[in-house]
């Protein structure tokens, strides 16, 4: 009609488009049982709705961030969390690893408390307070949030 030859355009491929035979790189999705197993193993990704934690623990978990990067869960539990009522299992304090960085400057922890009220008490007590002010000064301000 207009004299355009569209046959060469049909053979071109769009650059950057994934080929259909390549597998998708989406992360694996887990059910409630899988999330509970990860939490019991101390392996958390810390992303997504409710940080990937089971719905039955909504409001009982706290994320602490802004702490020294090489801090261990046992040290945090001894130095900061001694007066709080945490769960009795091994995974009451879990460090959330940053998969992109080998040696991060700051670290994040998930704290599993025994009740919703205890989670809120923990947040009120530590939020925006310096971590071990005598040793570190104001370098590490603790950020705290309840996970719902």
């Amino acid at each position: 009609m207009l004299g355009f030859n569209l046959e060469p355009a049909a053979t071109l491929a769009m650059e950057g488009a994934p080929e259909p035979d390549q597998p998708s790189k989406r992360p694996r999705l887990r059910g409630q049982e899988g999330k509970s197993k990860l939490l019991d193993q101390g392996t958390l990704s810390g992303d997504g709705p409710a940080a990937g934690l089971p719905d039955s623990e909504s409001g009982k978990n706290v994320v602490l961030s802004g702490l020294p990067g090489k801090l261990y869960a046992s040290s945090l539990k001894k130095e900061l969390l001694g007066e709080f009522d945490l769960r009795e299992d091994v995974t009451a304090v879990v460090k959330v690893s940053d998969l992109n960085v080998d040696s991060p400057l700051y670290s994040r922890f998930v704290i599993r408390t025994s009740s919703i009220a205890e989670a809120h008490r923990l947040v009120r007590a530590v939020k925006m307070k310096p971590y071990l002010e005598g040793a570190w000064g104001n370098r590490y301000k603790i950020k705290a949030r309840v996970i719902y």
Side-chain angles (χ1 to χ4, degrees), residues 96-104 106 108:
V96 179
S97 61
D98 189 354
L99 301 176
N100 299 329
V101 181
D102 292 334
S103 170
Y106 298 98
R108 289 183 298 167

Side-chain angles (χ1 to χ4, degrees), residues 26-39:
R26 288 183 28 211
R28 183 176 150 208
L29 301 176
R30 300 182 187 274
Q32 292 298 331
E33 185 178 330
K35 290 176 187 176
S36 296
K37 285 181 182 177
L38 281 178
L39 188 59

